[in-house]
Amino acid sequence: LAVVLGSHVHSGGHTGPANDGRAETAYVFNAYQGTVTPISPDLRKPGAPVRVGPKGYVTGTRKRRLQDARIVQDLILPDGTTNYALYSTGRGNGATYVLRRTSLVTGAAGRPIPLGRGAQHMVITPDGTTAYVNYRLGRYKTEYTLRAVSLATGTIGKPILRANEAGPVSAVTPVMTPDGRTLYVPYWHQGKVTPISTATNTPGKPIRVPGTLSVEFSPGGRAAFVIGSGTVTPISAATNTPGRTIGLGPHADLWAERP
């Protein structure tokens, strides 16, 4: 369960920037029910839930019931009118993934876009034309590939970026600048962040940063902040130059913040 103000959200509860009139509307995302519920600015009366994806799986007995969400990630475009849900259509090794558009104004759902196996995290350009989906293949020797998906045609492009990340708990979450011009892809074990131009889908020179768990941007998008294992490193978005790494102490539990 997560709450977001006219912006982006996934099941981990992380949000992106909100910069329009709909930022005053809160959207409550329920991964287990597969719904997004708008709440009016006065916070007194929630709107009707909008179905954005399937409900979670329920297993076990009445005394001990377990539930697994099928929605991996849910994003709301900055204008607050359109929702995109990335969810699985199966379980275990046989799971495949689809991406579905839903209007938060009318509740109408678009045709699902098949993404295949291994789709893990995505980011969408502010204009809603392209999704960048990160695929994870394997379990312990893990290969990641980043692909662009046209939201108009459903066409999946060739891999833009490939990388190997060791370990079953590795997470690679692409992050986009607020203006939608540059995509940053962090790789923890490799200790680098790779910038990608969304105009050409061309990766730039990797930026060496210790312990890259996630990337956050300043409100104006001038600086990126790479969050590591007890560290934060600023990066100039104009030059892709890292600044001095700031230590947060040995017990900063930043890994738990990842989805």
Side-chain angles (χ1 to χ4, degrees), residues 46-228:
V50 179
R51 175 73 60 187
V52 297
K55 292 184 177 181
Y57 295 103
V58 179
T59 60
T61 63
R62 183 173 298 179
K63 292 183 179 180
R64 187 175 182 179
R65 297 172 64 86
L66 302 177
Q67 190 172 34
D68 294 324
R70 286 192 278 185
I71 298 180
V72 177
Q73 190 178 7
D74 193 77
L75 298 181
I76 298 175
L77 294 187
D79 64 5
T81 63
T82 308
N83 186 96
Y84 283 93
L86 170 62
Y87 59 87
S88 66
T89 59
R91 307 187 72 175
N93 295 331
T96 59
Y97 295 85
V98 298
L99 179 61
R100 191 177 78 173
R101 174 186 181 276
T102 303
S103 169
L104 295 178
V105 178
T106 65
R111 179 177 297 179
I113 300 174
L115 297 178
R117 295 186 178 183
Q120 191 178 51
H121 292 96
M122 66 173 173
V123 64
I124 297 177
T125 53
D127 60 6
T129 60
T130 307
Y132 290 88
V133 181
N134 197 66
Y135 287 80
R136 175 181 174 178
L137 306 176
R139 180 169 175 80
Y140 292 97
K141 265 191 167 180
T142 306
E143 178 185 359
Y144 287 92
T145 61
L146 184 74
R147 297 173 182 264
V149 179
S150 169
L151 296 177
T153 65
T155 303
I156 301 175
K158 296 181 179 180
I160 299 171
L161 190 65
R162 296 178 184 268
N164 291 317
E165 285 279 271
V169 294
S170 297
V172 179
T173 305
V175 183
M176 187 172 295
T177 54
D179 60 12
R181 295 181 178 180
T182 307
L183 193 67
Y184 284 80
V185 185
Y187 292 105
W188 180 63
H189 286 90
Q190 298 184 15
K192 67 182 182 181
V193 176
T194 301
I196 297 173
S197 167
T198 58
T200 63
N201 287 339
T202 303
K205 182 180 179 181
I207 306 167
R208 295 292 175 180
V209 182
T212 55
L213 293 180
S214 65
V215 180
E216 302 292 340
F217 288 99
S218 61
R222 294 183 178 180
F225 296 90
V226 180
I227 302 172

Side-chain angles (χ1 to χ4, degrees), residues 2-83:
V3 179
V4 61
L5 303 179
S7 182
H8 310 318
V9 65
H10 53 62
S11 56
H14 298 271
T15 63
N19 54 10
D20 72 306
R22 286 182 174 261
E24 294 184 357
T25 300
Y27 296 88
V28 181
F29 167 58
N30 190 318
Y32 299 99
Q33 294 297 320
T35 60
V36 169
T37 302
I39 300 179
S40 59
D42 59 12
L43 300 180
R44 295 179 180 178
K45 186 178 180 181
V50 179
R51 175 73 60 187
V52 297
K55 292 184 177 181
Y57 295 103
V58 179
T59 60
T61 63
R62 183 173 298 179
K63 292 183 179 180
R64 187 175 182 179
R65 297 172 64 86
L66 302 177
Q67 190 172 34
D68 294 324
R70 286 192 278 185
I71 298 180
V72 177
Q73 190 178 7
D74 193 77
L75 298 181
I76 298 175
L77 294 187
D79 64 5
T81 63
T82 308
N83 186 96

